[in-house]
Every structure is written in structure tokens, then in C-alpha cells.
């Protein structure tokens, strides 16, 4: 089943990327994030708050993608009739 392998590989890569993004959200202050990751408005320069909600969301979605990849990898192929 090459389709299952491809989907499993894609889900695994997406999960790893999302977990890296979650770590970045937890570790880097919001004022230092790249613009595509959602900077704070310019009215709060130098703020050292972290984007915890976005980090948790990225971590949860990453874990769900990893779980889905695991389930797909464990699925047994059906026997032909």
C-alpha cells in the first residue's frame, strides 16, 4: 500500500514541523518571532511575553498528526477475495 506509506510520511513530517514550531513559540518572546509567526502589534515593542496558546495548539495538532501517522502505519492490509 504505497498510498498509506506516503500519507504516513507526510503526517510524520507535518507532526515534526508542528512540534518544532511549538518549541519556538514557547522559547522565543513574541517580539522576536518572525513576522509569519505572528508578531505583536507595534504598540508593544520589547514585550517579552510568549505565545503559549499558539504553542499549545501547535503541539496538540502535531501530536494528533503523529498519532494518525502511527495508526496508519499499524493498519493491516486487507486480503484480496
Amino acid at each position: 500500500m504505497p498510498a498509506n506509506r506516503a500519507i504516513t510520511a507526510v503526517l510524520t513530517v507535518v507532526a515534526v514541523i508542528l512540534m518544532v514550531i511549538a518549541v519556538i513559540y514557547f522559547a522565543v518572546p513574541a517580539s522576536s518571532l518572525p513576522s509569519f509567526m505572528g508578531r505583536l502589534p507595534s504598540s508593544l515593542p520589547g514585550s517579552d511575553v510568549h505565545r503559549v496558546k499558539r504553542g499549545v495548539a501547535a503541539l496538540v495538532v502535531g501530536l494528533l498528526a503523529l498519532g494518525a501517522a502511527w495508526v496508519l502505519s499499524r493498519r493491516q492490509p486487507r486480503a484480496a477475495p
Side-chain angles (χ1 to χ4, degrees):
M1 294 204 142
N4 273 353
R5 280 190 167 171
I7 293 172
T8 302
V10 168
L11 283 172
T12 303
V13 169
V14 167
V16 169
I17 291 171
L18 284 170
M19 288 183 198
V20 168
I21 289 173
V23 169
I24 291 171
Y25 273 129
F26 291 137
V28 177
S31 61
S32 299
L33 288 173
S35 61
F36 66 87
M37 291 182 77
R39 290 186 146 211
L40 284 174
S42 60
S43 62
L44 300 171
S47 177
D48 62 350
V49 297
H50 294 268
R51 297 285 180 124
V52 177
K53 289 181 186 177
R54 290 184 183 194
V56 170
L59 185 63
V60 167
V61 174
L63 289 174
L64 287 174
L66 193 62
W70 181 77
V71 167
L72 282 176
S73 71
R74 305 290 295 171
R75 183 179 285 182
Q76 298 291 329
R78 294 184 183 181

